[in-house]
Amino acid sequence: MLEFGKAPKKLQENIAQSIDQAGLQTLFLGQSTKPLFTAFMASPLLGLLSGGGTPNDSGRAFGAQLVNPTPLAEQAFTALFGPTPAFVPAIRAVLTRRANLSTDKVAFLKGVATGLKSTDIPLAYVERSDVKKSFIKSFEKLHVLTVSDVDKPAGKLRLAKILLGQITTQKAVDAVNTTPASAITTDADGGAGATPWVVLAVLLGGVAFMATGTLRRRNTRGSVA
């Protein structure tokens, strides 16, 4: 597990269940800490990522470079998470966030979301339906697809279909239900389910699941209950 702060256990479980429905597997790798992030925010790396810009600028650059890696992004990754696990490009991402974050953390997290969005990889922001404070509207303003009920069967299916690139608009996300017509499908050669490894990264009080690598194929067709 790549972890900064602590994402709620139930939320982690809900996202993992959706990832499993998508034919992906969760790989937990390491841990970041508040001191590491504090040191990162105070280091020259923050300014180098954005050319001396704001935390939001730095987050945006880091988010984009998680997908299209640069030596600088690899240095930032190591500064945040230590020398292990090794840096690998992200090809899918799921974001959440928590309340009571500092202004710089919020700005950096929003920047990461914007940077990931700019790369056009499958990306979603998710919450449980019983969350006390919702940030759905904040991420909608960033044009990130949102799932407000990842603890529900329909929410898990929405997230799975986003990760597989089967739906790409908020209207399509909201229209998903758990009937057979909304089932997850894959091509005979593995298609949509051919990328199994998903790294869990809890950043800034929010969690990012980033899919990396291609290790197995899958040939299934069915509905998700």
Side-chain angles (χ1 to χ4, degrees), residues 14 128-130 149-158 178:
N14 295 150
R128 287 175 52 87
S129 60
D130 60 358
D149 58 351
V150 74
D151 53 317
K152 305 294 185 181
K156 291 184 181 70
L157 182 56
R158 291 184 183 107
T178 54

Side-chain angles (χ1 to χ4, degrees), residues 2 66 93-96 112 116 198-203 206-210:
L2 300 179
L66 284 173
V94 184
L95 303 173
T96 80
V112 170
L116 287 168
V198 180
V199 176
L200 167 61
V202 183
L203 292 169
V207 60
F209 287 76
M210 300 178 292

Side-chain angles (χ1 to χ4, degrees), residues 73-93:
E74 294 184 32
Q75 292 180 49
F77 188 88
T78 300
L80 283 167
F81 301 112
T84 56
F87 176 80
V88 286
I91 61 173
R92 295 177 174 93

Side-chain angles (χ1 to χ4, degrees), residues 18-19 21-24 92 122 158-167 184-186 190-195 218:
S18 182
I19 286 170
Q21 288 181 5
L24 307 173
R92 295 177 174 93
R158 291 184 183 107
L159 176 55
K161 291 174 78 70
I162 291 171
L163 292 178
L164 294 175
Q166 295 180 356
I167 50 178
I184 296 172
T185 60
T186 62
T195 305
R218 167 184 144 157

Side-chain angles (χ1 to χ4, degrees), residues 43-196:
S43 75
L45 276 173
L46 188 71
L48 289 172
L49 279 168
S50 60
T54 66
N56 181 270
D57 295 332
S58 298
R60 185 164 61 249
F62 185 57
Q65 291 173 37
L66 284 173
V67 180
N68 301 301
T70 65
L72 190 59
E74 294 184 32
Q75 292 180 49
F77 188 88
T78 300
L80 283 167
F81 301 112
T84 56
F87 176 80
V88 286
I91 61 173
R92 295 177 174 93
V94 184
L95 303 173
T96 80
R97 67 150 293 183
R98 301 177 71 178
N100 302 318
L101 302 180
S102 70
T103 301
D104 283 352
K105 288 181 179 180
V106 171
F108 188 82
L109 178 59
K110 287 185 175 180
V112 170
T114 303
L116 287 168
K117 173 66 178 176
S118 72
T119 68
D120 291 327
I121 64 169
L123 173 68
Y125 170 78
V126 304
E127 293 177 346
R128 287 175 52 87
S129 60
D130 60 358
V131 69
K132 293 182 178 179
K133 181 175 177 58
S134 175
F135 297 96
I136 290 289
K137 291 189 181 300
S138 294
F139 282 84
E140 286 178 344
K141 290 179 180 179
L142 300 176
H143 305 291
V144 173
L145 297 181
T146 61
V147 177
S148 61
D149 58 351
V150 74
D151 53 317
K152 305 294 185 181
K156 291 184 181 70
L157 182 56
R158 291 184 183 107
L159 176 55
K161 291 174 78 70
I162 291 171
L163 292 178
L164 294 175
Q166 295 180 356
I167 50 178
T168 57
T169 67
Q170 191 62 48
K171 183 177 181 180
V173 172
D174 295 339
V176 169
N177 54 49
T178 54
T179 66
S182 294
I184 296 172
T185 60
T186 62
D187 298 330
D189 65 352
T195 305

